[in-house]
Every structure is written in structure tokens, then in C-alpha cells.
Amino acid sequence: MTSTLVPSTIKSLNAPTIRQLPNGLTIIAEHLPVEAVNLNIWLNIGSAIETESINGMAHFLEHIIFKGTPKLPSGEFERLVEQKGAVMNAATSQEYTHFYITSAPKDFAKLAPLQWEVLLNPSIADDDFERERSVVLEEIRRSNDNLNRRCYRKVIETAFEKLPYRRQVLGTAEIISQLQAQQMRDFHQSCYQPNSMTAAVVGNLPVEELIDIVTDSFAEANNGKNVSPRSPSPKINLTPESPFTKIVRHEVVDDALQQARLTMIWRVPGLTQLQETYALDVLATILSRGKTSRLVCDLREERGLVFSIGVSNTSYRYQGVFYISARLPEQNLAEVETAIAHHIHTIQQESVTETEMKRIRTLVANRFIFANETPSDRANLYGYYQSMIGDLGAALNYPQNIQALDSSDIQQAALKYLSVNAYRLVTFVPKVRSR
């Protein structure tokens, strides 16, 4: 795919400093004159890295991390954080787990060591393990009862037949019920290693001070542990699944549905082919972002065939999913599927207009600026890209890469990856069929 470079309208907003310690920990630091400091610690650990037999362990461990250490009784970390008016939380996904804390600059040197302490030295006591197992099992039950999550799970399981992205991040009740505390201790010891971690820290302290606080805090919490910087990272190499070769339709009947849903799915490149994802990102925006986008304007605003419609280009490390989802009257399913395919075919044959490309460039520029306003925004950006790709350039140059695309790039991406004769269609319909 070739691109014609255009002058960037975005001046540089970011100036992070990257430092890798001898133990393998990567620190990214930046001064931002906002009265807060955010520490975001990313680990290359998620449901896609687990073995099938312990699916859900990474998320389960995220819960246990906050249940105390030999130095900090359960609940003490949260008490000390709240006492300073700081906030903290965590999240687990298919390919990462991250923990974050935001505090006032004057409190950061006191709270950062506590964040590292709970991360590196969880007690994982048997009684805490059993109590939290019940919490996770209840979370799984709530997820199974959630209509949106059920629908999304079916979409991902349809997109991937073999890749572990099809697994549930929470795991299943059957697996979680059988896990043992010692398995979690072994998992933590193996995976929570510094060479699998990225610490992004942004806020109103000098860069070297931020780096020193993170470095010293890690060393204090990790004191006496036997860590080899040469220990293998838990990253795994996965082979992308082949593109679909024909149209296959699945229907799911769900008692909880009040209106039908439709999702069209294509397998597309992931983050290991980052350059290939840019045009697909733009294509998703052209199709569904805003009232003037093609699918929204035609199918919702003008013809009233759908209640809502959206497009997403979701990129995992080794493969992505491009999908178009709509909520609509059941009797419109076939007409909407045909209309979506027609819009894609039109782009493949006629490309997009320069007016659309200008709108996209403006949107991307504004979104990038808005997503850089707070320490948390920037630390998240840096932690994600460094952890997932190992290169901050992909994050900092994203707007320029998007603005360098022209209409022929979008057309070629549609031709290459979005065949109108080969996709998966999942329709969700109410049990009581509409007339």
C-alpha cells in the first residue's frame, strides 16, 4: 500500500523519556504541568497468554493483588490511597493487565512504593483466594446475564476459531472453580517479572524525579528477589487465521432481546502489521462516525432501516477484527446486510471523496489532542503502545500516519480485506419472532 504524504497539521504534543533498567523494567516518563501524577503499570499478561486450563487466571490475580502483602494487611493499600485523596484501579484484557494510581504530586513519592508493593508481593493467602473466587464467579454470572456481553462474546468466538482471543477474559465458572491458590502463586512468580512490565508515569514533577521515584519504589518492593533480566517474556507468537473464503450466516435466538441485532465480521491484520491497520481505522470512521458517515446517513437517517449502526476495527497483537453491528427491526435484516455490502462494494469501486478525507483528518487531529490532556491519558497511551508494540513512535505518529493516507489507500484496504463475498454474519433475534 502506497501513501502520499501530506503536511501534518498537528504540532508535537508529546515528549516522553524512555529508560530501560538493567532488570528489564521499561520506564516512560513525562512532565505535564497538571497538578496530578499518574503511574500506569502494564504487564504483558492476559487471557490470550494463559493456557486453556487456567483461563481467567490473569483477571483472578488482578483481584487478589489488592488483598494484602506481608507488609500491608488487606485493605491497607486502599485506605492509604483514599487518605491522600488519590485514586487507583486495574483492568485485564486479552493481552495485558494494567494497574494505575493517580495522586497529587506531593504524595506520589509516598504512594508509588505502595503500588509496587501490592503488585510484586501479594500474599495470595488461601482464605483470601477462596473469598475472591466467589467474587469472580459472581462476576462471571453477571457477565453471562448481560445481553451486550453475550452478543459480543458470540461475535469474537465467530471471528476466531483457534486463536486464544476467542477466550473469555474472566474465564469460565468451571475453570475458576477448580483453580488452586498455589497455581496462582506460580503464575504470579512466572509472569510478574520486570522484563514483562512497562511503567508509564506522567505528571507535574521533573522527569528525572519521576524516574527516580519509580526506580527506587520498584527496588524497595523487589528487594531480595531473584530476578533474571534474561528470563523469557510471557509474550507468545501466534499465527493469524486465514481470511474467510465464503459467506457463512449464524442465527442466535435470545430471550432477552427486544430488537434484532446484526453483525458482519472480517478477519484483518493486527498490531504486528500496524501499517495495514491505519486505512481500516479510517474506513471504520468513514462508514459510521457521525450523522454524515455513510452507513449512519443512509441506513438510519434517510431510510430508517436501523435504530443504530457502528463499525469497529479492533486490533489485537497478531490479528484484528473488522465488524459492523446494527440494531434493527428483524424484518430488515436481509435488506440491511445487502445495503452494507453495497456500501463496501461502492468504496472498492469508486473510493472515497476528498471531502470525506478532510473530515477524517480533522477528526483524527482533534481526537489526538483531546486524548492528550491529562496525565492519565498520556500514561495510558504510552503504556499501551510500549507494552503491545514495543515502540512509542506508533502512538506519537498516529495522526501523521492517518493524515498521510489518501483515498486510494482506503479503496485498496477495502478491496484487500473486506470481501463482500466472504464474511461471517451473526444475527441475534428475539425468541418471540416479530411479524
Side-chain angles (χ1 to χ4, degrees), residues 278-298 309-311 322 324 343-344 347 351-361 363-364 367 402 405-411 414:
Y278 295 138
L280 292 167
D281 288 349
V282 171
L283 184 53
T285 302
I286 288 171
L287 289 172
S288 75
R289 186 173 177 84
K291 287 186 177 181
T292 61
S293 61
R294 294 195 178 198
L295 295 181
V296 175
C297 181
D298 178 29
I309 190 163
V311 184
F322 191 98
I324 302 173
H343 275 282
I344 292 172
I347 289 176
S351 192
V352 298
T353 66
E354 184 56 30
T355 298
E356 287 174 304
M357 293 303 297
K358 287 181 179 178
R359 183 176 77 91
I360 297 302
R361 290 175 186 134
L363 276 174
V364 168
R367 285 161 63 186
I402 295 297
L405 298 170
D406 63 22
S407 59
S408 66
D409 297 314
I410 313 307
Q411 181 181 35

Side-chain angles (χ1 to χ4, degrees), residues 32 55 60 68 91 101 147 161 168 198 203 210 223 231-232 285 320:
L32 189 65
N55 176 213
F60 193 172
I101 183 169
L147 176 61
E161 296 176 10
Q168 300 177 47
T198 297
L210 291 171
N223 185 36
S231 59
T285 302

Side-chain angles (χ1 to χ4, degrees), residues 237-274:
N237 292 314
L238 301 173
T239 302
E241 298 187 38
S242 300
F244 298 123
T245 57
K246 59 183 179 180
I247 298 173
V248 177
R249 297 177 175 89
H250 304 269
E251 181 182 89
V252 178
V253 178
D254 196 305
D255 294 352
L257 279 168
Q258 299 300 312
Q259 54 193 218
R261 301 184 183 194
L262 169 153
T263 303
M264 297 172 70
I265 307 163
W266 291 264
R267 292 173 181 159
V268 296
L271 296 175
T272 53
Q273 296 176 274
L274 191 62

Side-chain angles (χ1 to χ4, degrees), residues 16 38 69 97 107 217 262 264 308 355 366 419:
N38 178 271
T69 78
T97 302
D107 298 322
S217 298
L262 169 153
M264 297 172 70
S308 64
T355 298
N366 289 342
S419 171

Side-chain angles (χ1 to χ4, degrees), residues 91-356:
T92 304
S93 186
Q94 285 87 351
E95 294 177 304
Y96 60 80
T97 302
H98 74 119
F99 299 82
Y100 52 96
I101 183 169
T102 301
S103 75
K106 65 183 178 61
D107 298 322
F108 182 63
K110 297 182 181 70
L111 294 179
L114 304 181
Q115 176 71 85
W116 282 114
E117 171 65 19
V118 298
L119 199 67
L120 297 176
N121 301 308
S123 296
I124 314 182
D126 289 348
D127 54 349
D128 287 331
F129 183 87
E130 291 303 327
R131 280 194 293 269
E132 207 60 28
R133 188 205 303 270
S134 298
V135 173
V136 173
L137 288 171
E138 177 59 27
E139 191 173 350
I140 291 171
R141 282 191 286 271
R142 290 200 308 270
S143 177
N144 291 337
D145 288 341
N146 185 291
L147 176 61
N148 291 333
R149 290 189 178 185
R150 286 202 303 274
C151 292
Y152 181 73
R153 187 183 309 151
K154 178 62 178 178
V155 168
I156 295 302
E157 290 173 352
T158 302
F160 299 112
E161 296 176 10
K162 298 179 181 178
L163 285 175
Y165 303 133
R166 73 191 314 274
R167 295 181 192 149
Q168 300 177 47
V169 173
L170 301 182
T172 65
E174 293 74 18
I175 292 175
I176 296 299
S177 296
Q178 296 174 18
L179 293 178
Q180 302 299 313
Q182 188 57 49
Q183 288 177 287
M184 181 173 285
R185 296 181 195 113
D186 295 340
F187 184 82
H188 178 271
Q189 175 63 29
S190 172
C191 296
Y192 277 51
Q193 294 289 335
N195 68 320
S196 300
M197 298 179 181
T198 297
V201 56
V202 179
N204 201 8
L205 290 173
V207 167
E208 289 302 323
E209 184 175 348
L210 291 171
I211 293 174
D212 287 345
I213 291 172
V214 172
T215 302
D216 294 345
S217 298
F218 178 91
E220 179 184 339
N222 201 56
N223 185 36
K225 287 191 173 183
N226 182 21
V227 177
S228 169
R230 295 184 179 84
S231 59
S233 168
K235 286 184 181 179
I236 55 176
N237 292 314
L238 301 173
T239 302
E241 298 187 38
S242 300
F244 298 123
T245 57
K246 59 183 179 180
I247 298 173
V248 177
R249 297 177 175 89
H250 304 269
E251 181 182 89
V252 178
V253 178
D254 196 305
D255 294 352
L257 279 168
Q258 299 300 312
Q259 54 193 218
R261 301 184 183 194
L262 169 153
T263 303
M264 297 172 70
I265 307 163
W266 291 264
R267 292 173 181 159
V268 296
L271 296 175
T272 53
Q273 296 176 274
L274 191 62
Q275 290 294 328
E276 296 290 285
T277 70
Y278 295 138
L280 292 167
D281 288 349
V282 171
L283 184 53
T285 302
I286 288 171
L287 289 172
S288 75
R289 186 173 177 84
K291 287 186 177 181
T292 61
S293 61
R294 294 195 178 198
L295 295 181
V296 175
C297 181
D298 178 29
L299 301 183
R300 190 188 74 183
E301 300 299 317
E302 294 183 1
R303 289 201 270 171
L305 293 174
V306 302
F307 302 119
S308 64
I309 190 163
V311 184
S312 176
N313 181 44
T314 300
S315 299
Y316 301 105
R317 183 176 281 118
Y318 295 100
Q319 193 157 38
V321 184
F322 191 98
Y323 61 95
I324 302 173
S325 297
R327 299 187 186 194
L328 67 168
E330 186 178 345
Q331 62 268 24
N332 295 348
L333 285 168
E335 186 176 359
V336 169
E337 178 187 352
T338 300
I340 292 171
H342 174 74
H343 275 282
I344 292 172
H345 180 72
T346 299
I347 289 176
Q348 291 171 339
Q349 300 302 311
E350 302 173 7
S351 192
V352 298
T353 66
E354 184 56 30
T355 298
E356 287 174 304

Side-chain angles (χ1 to χ4, degrees), residues 10-16 30 32 365 368-370 372 378 382 396:
I10 307 170
K11 66 179 182 179
S12 178
L13 300 174
N14 310 69
E30 184 179 36
L32 189 65
F368 186 72
I369 292 168
F370 299 154
N372 266 272
R378 295 200 184 196
Y382 302 153
L396 305 185

